[in-house]
Amino acid sequence: MVCAVTLLVAYFNKARCAGAPFDENGRSTIFDSVKDSAVCYSDIQFLWLGRDINEHVFPYLSGGITPDGALTGGAVEYPVLSGLFMWLGAIGAHDDAAFLLHSALLLAPFALLTAYMLGRMGGRAALLWAAGPPLILYAFHNWELPVVCAAVGAVYIVTSMTRYSLRARAIAAAMLLGIGFCLKLYPGIFVLPLLLYVLVGEPEQGVDARSPRPFDVRGALAVAATAIGTVVLVNLPFALAGYEGWRASITFQQLRQADITTNSIWYWGLRPMFGKTAADESAFQDVVAVASPVLILAAFALAAWLGWRRFAVTGVYPWIGVSGAMLCGFLLFHKVHSPQYTLWLIPFLVLLRVRWSLIVVYLLADAAIGIGVFRYFYALGSGHSAELEENVVQFGVWGRAALLLVLFFLFIRAKPRAREGTADEFDRDRAPILAYSAL
């Protein structure tokens, strides 16, 4: 119920940018004038134009991408299932306001289901998802809710449906992670820690967790095969029906550069070390194109290795914590860090014991980005001094980066939260929770 109320607030927050009068393309005339100043911008409303969504063209089957990275025809920049949600949200819509409303109605059930599963697994800490500022800011900013639901659903299956064997649970979870990959890619990285968890197995009840157990190699391979097979089965029809349109989404992400819109450490930290000429810009992008994926892969390897060391001590491979750490590495080093990616991280803050004071500080840094960056764009566009707004954005970028680095190591060692949330656990951190609620 709390999540439903939060979603209503989230919708009306974005709807401030939408409404009559509309231009000939169905674009709200107020959108461009208030989207930054009123902080009501959403990718959903913005992409009503430019991807043939307003023409109700089924995605990927036509179109492509130009050499300079512009999408044409029915091509969109997201994996195929997100493109399908975009198309479904446009059915019956003839302007961006209706598209926003239809999309919100389509996405909201995934947030509610996520709230239910987090409540079952994390107890009252699930209010962090259901009532948090990130859900208000980002629930309908982009098409993130289905992918978060898929990732949380995978954890829910493994941790809650214990009447089934670990191998059966993990295979079902791998299918959900594959579906998540076809929505927004990132759940695919969780297949590795899940595979390792299945490989070493779960300790039997009443038996020392550190007692030797046979490796389940077949189960681990089945997890990998299921995830890969799911991705292939979902993508193959689109690739066969319109390869150029399907391939364009991948090419678009490959060509995307680390610029002022990406909120990454690369733009704010590395870019000032280069000059202002076109050659300097090209050199900067070349460095990022190599350094970003290398550091991401290194972070993945480090997280998996630290998880293995933890397994050697405890007898249990912390696959949820390793998954969260891998996500932190991805968010820290990827060339794009859109504000709505915070929704990806929130479930790990619910499922794992992390000090509430850290969570509150992270949310403050996130709010500095989620709100400050649009005020920054407004100040730049209006010709006003943007020094204050730039400082707010930089606080968000570097505060968030520092906390991601801390969470990377904390997640691997963190214990799961109590399902119902014990009174002493909840009361111990009541002050930070009240501060968070005020935020």
Side-chain angles (χ1 to χ4, degrees):
M1 290 189 295
V2 172
C3 185
V5 173
T6 304
L7 290 172
L8 283 174
V9 176
Y11 168 72
F12 285 115
N13 176 50
K14 296 300 185 183
R16 292 181 297 127
C17 270
F22 304 100
D23 65 19
E24 64 276 7
N25 295 313
R27 167 71 79 208
S28 300
T29 56
I30 64 169
F31 178 71
D32 287 328
S33 60
V34 303
K35 61 182 175 65
D36 293 331
S37 60
V39 194
C40 55
Y41 169 88
S42 73
D43 289 335
I44 294 177
Q45 187 180 357
F46 176 76
L47 291 177
W48 168 250
L49 299 178
R51 304 293 184 270
D52 279 0
I53 293 173
N54 61 316
E55 301 292 339
H56 307 286
V57 174
F58 194 85
Y60 308 106
L61 302 189
S62 61
I65 188 168
T66 64
D68 60 352
L71 293 168
T72 62
V76 298
E77 58 265 55
Y78 303 120
V80 294
L81 292 185
S82 286
L84 189 60
F85 273 104
M86 296 168 72
W87 177 76
L88 289 172
I91 293 177
H94 300 288
D95 55 65
D96 59 359
F99 179 50
L100 177 63
L101 174 60
H102 294 182
S103 297
L105 293 173
L106 194 64
L107 297 173
F110 294 97
L112 296 172
L113 181 55
T114 300
Y116 169 79
M117 292 187 291
L118 289 176
R120 295 283 292 178
M121 293 186 288
R124 288 175 288 184
L127 288 171
L128 180 62
W129 167 266
L135 198 63
I136 294 175
L137 290 172
Y138 313 128
F140 307 121
H141 187 92
N142 199 286
W143 292 267
E144 308 299 331
L145 296 179
V147 66
V148 176
C149 187
V152 172
V155 178
Y156 182 79
I157 288 173
V158 174
T159 60
S160 300
M161 298 185 176
T162 53
R163 62 183 179 274
Y164 301 104
S165 69
L166 174 59
R167 186 187 293 186
R169 282 178 279 141
I171 289 174
M175 188 178 300
L176 274 180
L177 294 177
I179 291 172
F181 182 87
C182 298
L183 284 161
K184 281 296 179 77
L185 300 186
Y186 86 90
I189 68 179
F190 304 155
V191 174
L192 175 60
L194 176 60
L195 180 154
L196 293 173
Y197 182 66
V198 173
L199 177 67
V200 302
E202 292 176 321
E204 296 182 15
Q205 193 170 11
V207 178
D208 187 350
R210 290 168 292 183
S211 299
R213 300 186 296 271
F215 285 171
D216 184 7
V217 177
R218 288 187 177 182
L221 291 176
V223 168
T226 300
I228 295 171
T230 300
V231 172
V232 171
L233 286 175
V234 172
N235 280 274
L236 190 59
F238 292 90
L240 293 177
Y243 178 79
E244 292 300 326
W246 172 80
R247 184 67 177 82
S249 64
I250 303 172
T251 305
F252 180 90
Q253 296 300 334
Q254 292 173 334
L255 293 177
R256 189 170 182 184
Q257 298 185 335
D259 56 29
I260 196 172
T261 68
T262 57
N263 310 300
S264 69
I265 61 172
W266 300 108
Y267 178 80
W268 291 103
L270 186 62
R271 183 63 185 88
M273 299 180 184
F274 290 77
K276 298 182 179 181
T277 67
D280 293 326
E281 174 66 20
S282 178
F284 162 68
Q285 297 298 342
D286 289 342
V287 170
V288 174
V290 175
S292 175
V294 167
L295 288 174
I296 288 173
L297 291 176
F300 290 174
L302 178 60
W305 178 71
L306 291 174
W308 193 266
R309 289 189 61 186
R310 191 69 179 162
F311 162 70
V313 173
T314 65
V316 177
Y317 189 80
W319 82 278
I320 300 175
V322 172
S323 296
M326 293 174 73
L327 178 60
C328 288
F330 177 84
L331 295 176
L332 180 60
F333 294 122
H334 194 250
K335 60 184 177 181
V336 178
H337 191 157
S338 296
Q340 71 271 14
Y341 292 174
T342 299
L343 293 177
W344 303 359
L345 190 68
I346 293 296
F348 291 100
L349 300 176
V350 172
L351 295 173
L352 300 170
R353 288 183 182 271
V354 177
R355 295 183 67 87
W356 283 98
S357 54
L358 282 177
I359 295 174
V360 170
V361 176
Y362 187 88
L363 293 174
L364 286 171
D366 176 70
I369 289 290
I371 298 173
V373 72
F374 294 106
R375 295 295 304 176
Y376 179 52
F377 292 157
Y378 170 70
L380 290 176
S382 62
H384 300 154
S385 171
E387 183 177 356
L388 174 62
E389 290 82 358
E390 181 176 331
N391 289 336
V392 170
V393 171
Q394 294 228 34
F395 164 76
V397 169
W398 296 112
R400 189 174 59 183
L403 287 166
L404 284 173
L405 185 61
V406 172
L407 290 172
F408 179 92
F409 294 99
L410 285 182
F411 278 159
I412 296 173
R413 299 182 62 86
K415 296 179 180 179
R417 290 194 188 274
R419 174 176 170 180
E420 296 300 332
T422 58
D424 62 331
E425 171 198 345
F426 204 68
D427 292 342
R428 183 175 63 249
D429 295 319
R430 180 169 290 178
I433 291 175
L434 292 175
Y436 165 73
S437 299
L439 171 65

